Amino acid sequence: MLNAGWLIDGTGGPVRKNISLVTENGLIVSITNSGAGDTAAQVTTDFSSSTILPCLVDSHVHLCMSGTGDPVAREKQLGAGFDEIKGLISKHIKRHLSYGILAVRDGGDRYAHALRYRNEYLDIKKMPIGIRVAGRAWHRAGRYGGLIGRPPQKNHSLAEAVKTDPEEKDHIKIVNSGLNSLKEFGKETLPQFGVEELSDVVKIALKCGRRVMVHANGKKPVAVALEAGCDSIEHGFFMGAENLKIMAEKGIVWVPTACTMKAYAEHMKPGSIEHEVSRMNLDHQLEQISKARELGVTVALGTDAGSIGVHHGSAVMDELKLLITAGYSLPEVIRCASCNGSRLLGIEDSGIISKGMAATFLAVKGDPSKLPGSLSAIQAIYINGKSASDEFKWN
Ligand SMILES: [Zn+2]
């Protein structure tokens, strides 16, 4: 039996105080209020001064890139071969684990290194993490996306390219807009693909059991992706309230990656136009997140780790703080970072601490008011009922 001072269960419901949790064969068999009847002998693990919560998911990362702002180092990472990059990917995964992140969804890289790493190099015993990869993303020739993917071959439609793609990826990543301008607030780019082109991809994805994640900023690029029936919108800056309403109705997930703009604002020279526009972009995104909460849009936490100033692992704390600033309660943001992320990744048996679920969770010191900061010093991680701290050095 394990005692905990506080429990955040991942459903978004209120924090529970003083609970006892019993596990058997890797599953949670009961969660009750700690009673005076619990004897010291029954309590094998005492977390009465700690909070337990589900393991976290970062629903948008780029494992091949670090958050370095040094242009020479970034260029080197972008051009690196697999042998050079595999050590960096391992380092990033360890960083995620040290912040209690046990699953990540990769948004693509130029040479599909993250895919190869997942297939050939990941030792799941040493690094018990769920990695879902996009391989190389798809973008239209001549438009943004070369850093994380490739366009369809000449004379091939997007659907033909996706259909004949031999990469054994987990999901399909489509780039359907440009990046956010850091010079002109709210500048919109045109969609890269039309509704029909994207619908064809969604049909192929359905047949092969894959989901479609779409990078889209601005009203039109997002509207096109929603009409085509994609599974998630990544970034979604300046998408507007109408698109948010459609997402709430259709159950399409939003991964807002607001911390990218906070990181840009911190990276850019104070007083520069880029600094100002990044800050304005961030404020606007927080307003959109607030609206999304009001409308009941499913938000999954994703950081875009690997973007400038967005560091693997620690960025999750930044994004949690931003969602709280936008109006989410602590249990609600934990749901975005656990249950909602797990479902988006197709890992249905985790993300919630309740009877019958896998006994996989984190313990952090102190009461919930210490979160998200207390994630920087995880006290323990349990995987299927067993403390994983012995198998893996978290810090
Ligand atoms: Zn990304």
Side-chain angles (χ1 to χ4, degrees):
M1 181 191 284
L2 172 154
N3 270 7
W6 297 269
L7 166 70
I8 300 172
D9 68 7
T11 65
V15 178
R16 282 177 70 179
K17 274 188 188 169
N18 299 323
I19 59 98
S20 298
L21 186 148
V22 179
T23 68
E24 215 175 271
N25 300 326
L27 298 177
I28 297 169
V29 291
S30 75
I31 302 173
T32 54
N33 294 326
S34 308
D38 298 344
T39 64
Q42 280 176 307
V43 179
T44 52
T45 315
D46 183 21
F47 287 125
S48 56
S49 304
S50 307
T51 302
I52 63 170
L53 67 153
C55 292
L56 305 180
V57 178
D58 188 336
S59 292
H60 192 129
V61 304
H62 295 275
L63 287 168
C64 288
M65 296 293 293
S66 75
T68 179
D70 175 355
V72 177
R74 290 193 74 78
E75 202 48 49
K76 201 167 167 243
Q77 285 173 10
L78 277 168
F82 182 71
D83 284 340
E84 286 173 84
I85 221 75
K86 65 188 182 192
L88 188 68
I89 298 178
S90 298
K91 191 175 145 193
H92 292 157
I93 291 172
K94 285 178 187 168
R95 296 280 299 167
H96 282 288
L97 290 168
S98 73
Y99 286 88
I101 301 152
L102 260 69
V104 296
R105 178 171 169 254
D106 193 278
D109 66 86
R110 201 185 245 178
Y111 303 115
H113 289 328
L115 173 70
R116 185 169 166 198
Y117 183 96
R118 199 274 317 265
N119 288 344
E120 295 177 16
Y121 200 74
L122 180 67
D123 183 346
I124 204 77
K125 277 186 196 140
K126 282 191 188 152
M127 293 194 287
I129 189 161
I131 298 182
R132 300 289 182 268
V133 289
R136 285 177 283 181
W138 295 102
H139 68 93
R140 186 172 287 288
R143 294 285 309 271
Y144 165 72
L147 300 181
I148 55 168
R150 47 103 193 226
Q153 274 182 320
K154 264 188 187 164
N155 307 323
H156 270 202
S157 69
L158 180 64
E160 281 166 337
V162 169
K163 209 172 178 178
T164 55
D165 179 11
E167 283 178 4
E168 275 298 312
K169 49 187 64 175
D170 298 306
H171 48 262
I172 296 162
K173 167 83 178 283
I174 309 282
V175 182
N176 201 38
S177 74
L179 287 172
N180 281 303
S181 171
L182 296 183
K183 298 233 180 248
E184 194 181 322
F185 175 69
K187 187 181 177 189
E188 188 164 324
T189 57
L190 289 171
Q192 296 199 17
F193 300 102
V195 175
E196 213 169 298
E197 287 172 295
L198 291 184
S199 298
D200 289 345
V201 170
V202 170
K203 279 179 209 150
I204 295 165
L206 268 175
K207 273 191 195 154
C208 60
R210 292 181 179 132
R211 291 179 183 165
V212 181
M213 68 189 282
V214 179
H215 162 119
N217 295 310
K219 286 179 184 160
K220 273 190 200 154
V222 171
V224 165
L226 297 180
E227 200 181 332
C230 74
D231 296 279
S232 70
I233 295 292
E234 312 296 311
H235 320 301
F237 286 85
F238 305 105
M239 72 162 102
E242 282 311 307
N243 281 323
L244 285 169
K245 276 183 206 157
I246 295 166
M247 292 179 79
E249 279 162 21
K250 289 189 167 181
I252 295 171
V253 179
W254 185 26
V255 185
T257 67
C259 65
T260 52
M261 284 302 148
K262 180 175 173 280
Y264 270 127
E266 285 163 4
H267 179 72
M268 298 298 175
K269 205 171 150 214
S272 66
I273 185 78
E274 289 88 354
H275 175 79
E276 276 314 300
V277 172
S278 311
R279 281 176 48 142
M280 287 159 73
N281 286 350
L282 173 62
D283 289 345
H284 188 270
Q285 188 74 329
L286 294 183
E287 282 168 27
Q288 290 203 132
I289 293 170
S290 177
K291 187 78 187 162
R293 180 179 174 274
E294 220 177 275
L295 293 168
V297 176
T298 300
V299 167
L301 182 141
T303 61
D304 214 4
S307 175
I308 289 178
V310 184
H311 304 288
H312 289 272
S314 60
V316 163
M317 294 195 302
D318 293 329
E319 190 71 7
L320 285 167
K321 281 182 203 161
L322 290 172
L323 292 176
I324 291 168
T325 304
Y328 278 77
S329 69
L330 182 65
E332 286 170 350
V333 287
I334 297 299
R335 178 178 58 195
C336 296
S338 58
C339 173
N340 293 356
S342 291
R343 286 181 184 168
L344 182 59
L345 271 66
I347 308 171
E348 304 290 342
D349 63 342
S350 72
I352 289 181
I353 301 177
S354 73
K355 192 178 163 184
M357 297 294 280
T360 298
F361 50 83
L362 318 172
V364 290
K365 281 188 186 155
D367 64 50
S369 73
K370 305 285 187 297
L371 283 163
S374 52
L375 290 169
S376 63
I378 299 278
Q379 194 178 6
I381 300 187
Y382 281 76
I383 297 174
N384 298 323
K386 284 187 189 151
S387 168
S389 317
D390 296 339
E391 292 159 29
F392 187 81
K393 280 217 165 299
W394 305 107
N395 293 303

